[in-house]
Amino acid sequence: MKKIILLASLSFIIVFSLESCSRKIQRVSPDQTIDISGRWNDSDSRMVSEDMIQQVLSGAWLDRYRTKFGKEPVVIVGLVRNKSHEHIDAETFIKDIEQSFIRSGRVRLVKGGAFREELRAERADQQNNASISTVKKFGKELGADFMLQGTINSIVDAHKKEKVVYYQINLELTNIETNETVWIGDKKIKKFIEN
Amino acid sequence: MKTLPLIALFMTSFLFAQQNREALDYDQNPNYQISQQKYMKESPKYVALQGTTLQQTYKAIDPLEEKRELKALKKRYRAERLKWRHEERMEKYKNGYVEYYDVPRSSINFGWGWNNWNNWGRYYSPFSFNYGFCY
C-alpha cells in the first residue's frame, strides 16, 4: 500500500513538473507578422521603415540638391516626437532609414546627440593620449545640410469590445540654413481590434 | 596737418563698416547676430535630444483597457494589503499604541499582567516574544 502511495505521488510530481516546462520557444523570421495584443509592434515599425526608405530615396529633393550643388546632401537625425497613446521608440525605423542612406551612397549621414558628444569626448582624450601622427583634429566635422525630424500620432476609437487604432507617422527633411522643408514622408496604419 | 588723424579715423571706420558689410551673405539679414547669440546659448539642450524619441503620449479613451488597468490595480493592492497592515501596526506600536488598556511594555511576556481567559485587550507587540506562559 505504501509503495502504491509513493508511486502515485511520484507520478503526480513528475506530471506536474513536466506541465510547468511546457513553454515552447521557436525562432521565427523577423519579417513574419505576428500580432498578439494589437498594440504597436515590430511589424508596424518594419512597414514604416520600408515605406519611408522608398519615399525618401525617390524624392525630388535628392536630385534637386545634386543638380544644384553637385554633391550628396548631408543629413542629421533630429528629434522624433511620439504624440500617440502608446510608448513607441522611433529608433527602430530611424535606424533602418539611416542604414538605407549609407547603403545607397546617395545621402551622407552625420551623428548627432549623445553619440556625437561621445565622439567629441574621444577626440578630446586623443589630444593628450594618442600619438601625434594619429591625433584627430577638432573643427573638421561635416556640417549637415538637412535635418530629419518626425512625429508619431494616433487616434483611438473604442466601443465595448471593438477598437480601431490609427497611427500616422510623419518624417520631414528640412534645410538647416533656410528652414525649407524639402521632403515629407508619411505612413498610415489602421488596425481593427476585436477583443 | 591737423586734419590727417581725422581722415585716418574716417578711413578706418569706413573700412571697418565695409568689412562688416562684406561678411554678410547675399540677402542675409544684417541683424542675424541677435538670433545667433540667442541660439548659441540655447543649442546644447536641443542638440542633446537629437536622434531620440520624445514621449509625449496621451491616455486614449478605451473602456476595456481601463477595466483591465483597474483589475490589475486591485490585484496589486490586494497583494500589498498584508504588508501595509503590518507596516501600519508597526507604526502604531512604535508610537506607543496599546489596544484597549495600558499594560507594561515588556519585551518578554511571562504570563502576568493581564487575564488570559480571552484575547480581548491583549497587548500585542511585534517586538516581543511570547514564551507561551500566557495566551
Side-chain angles (χ1 to χ4, degrees), chain A residues 51-113:
Chain A
D51 245 44
M52 289 291 182
I53 289 166
Q54 195 269 327
Q55 285 179 46
V56 74
L57 291 176
S58 62
W61 71 280
L62 203 51
D63 292 331
R64 231 175 17 230
Y65 186 88
R66 289 182 74 182
T67 314
K68 195 174 176 184
F69 298 101
K71 59 178 182 177
E72 287 80 31
V74 181
V75 172
I76 188 166
V77 178
L79 189 69
V80 178
R81 285 179 169 80
N82 173 22
K83 297 196 278 185
S84 75
H85 67 293
E86 284 175 40
H87 178 94
I88 299 170
D89 201 334
E91 203 174 333
T92 49
F93 57 85
I94 291 289
K95 274 285 163 239
D96 290 345
I97 297 167
E98 286 184 27
Q99 199 182 39
S100 77
F101 283 164
I102 296 165
R103 277 187 183 168
S104 72
R106 297 168 70 196
V107 180
R108 297 172 82 185
L109 201 70
V110 287
K111 275 269 169 256

Side-chain angles (χ1 to χ4, degrees), chain B residues 35-94:
Chain B
S35 175
Q36 188 179 323
Q37 277 164 10
K38 184 191 168 202
Y39 284 96
M40 285 294 271
K41 283 178 202 160
E42 290 182 4
S43 74
K45 72 176 178 190
Y46 294 107
V47 162
L49 294 173
Q50 278 173 359
T52 60
T53 311
L54 191 66
Q55 301 293 336
Q56 296 177 323
T57 52
Y58 69 95
K59 195 164 169 31
I61 301 166
D62 185 353
L64 209 68
E65 199 62 39
E66 276 172 26
K67 221 173 172 178
R68 267 192 213 125
E69 278 173 18
L70 200 70
K71 210 174 166 183
L73 199 71
K74 273 183 187 171
K75 205 176 167 185
R76 213 190 83 205
Y77 282 171
R78 209 178 303 133
E80 292 198 7
R81 204 175 291 153
L82 205 71
K83 196 183 102 191
W84 289 341
R85 274 186 196 153
H86 174 70
E87 279 173 2
E88 198 179 33
R89 215 179 295 137
M90 291 284 274
E91 283 304 312
K92 271 184 187 174
Y93 289 118
K94 263 186 214 166

